[in-house]
Amino acid sequence: MLKLTKAIATYNKIPMLLAMWALSTNAFSDSTSNLPQRISQNLDIGISFSIPPWVIVESNSGIELDILKGAFKGTHYTVTPHYVPFALAYKMFDGKQLDGVINAQKHLAKQGYASNPVVTFNNIAISLKKKAFPKRVDIDFMKNKSIVAFQNANKILGTAFKKMSEKNGEYQEVSKQSLQLNLLFIREVDFIVMDKSIFGYFWNKVIKQSSNSMIKEKYTKAVRFHTVFAPTIYPFLFKDEPARDSFNRGFVRLKLSGEYDRIIKKYDHLTNLYRRYDVD
């Protein structure tokens, strides 16, 4: 099985100096011993609603949500998730309706304090194998192809991709990422652009749970993965600096305690399950 740990190989490995800093200063100042002296503060956080296994709305869980809650555990902060589309989360954040957003790109917000890097997404282009596109394609190759990407992809995946998307009349973005798979396997668009693990989660879910034999047959078409983009590293973004600093300290604790690795392992069975099908 392709391990999820491979998909996050570039995951923000905390430098040893940072770990030493956490242990040698008051990095643990938000511990439960401080709770009696501090007033509990709720944080309303914008959470992308269609990116399992990173976020699984149905169970209020997922890799990123577990990391977010775990980092604030034992502090005076509590977290209330608000599941909204990616673009709307930024509007609500800038409108001071949210105290933070996950999967932040600071240039998309007008304010806020970015945390240390938290997760790395491996966004790829995916095509049906029967289209016979070369394994190695670049953005220029995609300029006259039908493409369905995730919301705000043209603001995240680099200048060249943004320019291509603006000139390509067959380019579109959707907030509901499961729809991308429908458009690939049923409508047979040329490419979908999304994180590899999100694709694996949704693909496996349809194969396992659908009672419609025709849908299952369509979803077992062979696909081809095209590595076009560099990994996208995401911090979380907070309205207030103290909340950001508290999260950073908590994230260090998760790393040092081994809880971070346990969170990753917990969801390993939900991703990269497409390996059993004819993936090129």
Side-chain angles (χ1 to χ4, degrees), residues 22-272:
L23 292 172
S24 62
T25 68
N26 67 339
F28 300 104
S29 62
D30 283 327
S31 66
T32 53
S33 62
N34 289 334
L35 285 176
Q37 292 78 37
R38 309 195 68 174
I39 299 173
S40 179
Q41 181 177 344
N42 180 67
L43 297 175
D44 293 305
I45 306 295
I47 309 289
S48 303
F49 67 81
S50 66
I51 54 170
W54 305 100
V55 173
I56 304 174
V57 177
E58 295 81 2
S59 56
N60 257 343
S61 64
I63 296 168
E64 290 186 273
L65 203 50
D66 286 5
I67 289 172
L68 179 67
K69 292 176 179 178
F72 284 120
K73 185 176 181 180
T75 74
H76 70 291
Y77 291 105
T78 58
V79 172
T80 299
H82 295 266
Y83 299 109
V84 293
F86 189 63
L88 179 59
Y90 279 96
K91 290 182 181 179
M92 293 177 68
F93 181 75
D94 283 334
K96 299 184 179 181
Q97 296 172 278
L98 293 173
D99 300 305
V101 290
I102 68 168
N103 296 343
Q105 291 288 301
K106 197 173 181 182
H107 67 279
L108 297 180
K110 298 175 183 177
Q111 59 173 330
Y113 298 88
S115 73
N116 292 329
V118 180
V119 294
T120 299
F121 278 30
N122 288 289
N123 291 302
I124 58 174
I126 306 168
S127 68
L128 294 178
K129 190 174 181 180
K130 72 178 188 178
K131 299 253 181 177
F133 295 145
K135 176 78 171 179
R136 296 183 180 276
V137 302
D138 55 20
I139 292 172
D140 187 62
F141 180 87
M142 301 170 72
K143 66 184 179 182
N144 59 352
K145 306 296 190 297
S146 55
I147 303 168
V148 181
F150 59 90
Q151 198 170 48
N152 278 348
N154 67 346
K155 297 178 182 178
I156 292 172
L157 297 178
T159 303
F161 188 76
K162 178 177 175 62
K163 289 180 178 178
M164 181 279 297
S165 69
E166 291 172 342
K167 294 179 181 179
N168 186 340
E170 294 191 83
Y171 176 86
Q172 61 177 310
E173 295 180 356
V174 295
S175 60
K176 191 174 182 180
Q177 292 201 256
S178 59
L179 180 60
Q180 290 179 266
L181 278 74
N182 292 342
L183 292 170
L184 177 70
F185 289 108
I186 298 174
R187 293 283 297 277
E188 298 193 352
V189 297
D190 292 326
F191 291 104
I192 59 173
V193 174
M194 65 194 307
D195 172 69
K196 197 173 182 180
S197 292
I198 298 173
F199 173 82
Y201 181 94
F202 281 128
W203 194 5
N204 183 70
K205 185 176 181 180
V206 172
I207 296 296
K208 276 191 168 183
Q209 297 183 6
S210 177
S211 59
N212 188 315
S213 59
M214 291 182 63
I215 294 293
K216 281 191 175 183
E217 183 179 354
K218 287 182 179 294
Y219 267 71
T220 51
K221 295 173 186 173
V223 300
R224 179 165 286 174
F225 292 160
H226 309 271
T227 304
V228 181
F229 313 100
T232 304
I233 300 173
Y234 289 109
F236 292 170
L237 192 64
F238 296 92
K239 181 178 67 177
D240 298 323
E241 192 172 11
R244 186 277 308 274
D245 292 345
S246 180
F247 174 81
N248 279 344
R249 291 191 291 266
F251 188 67
V252 171
R253 289 197 296 271
L254 292 182
K255 285 279 190 175
L256 294 177
S257 69
E259 180 61 23
Y260 174 86
D261 292 330
R262 286 190 286 271
I263 290 172
I264 298 302
K265 188 176 181 181
K266 177 181 174 182
Y267 295 97
D268 197 43
H269 68 290
L270 297 178
T271 59
N272 298 333

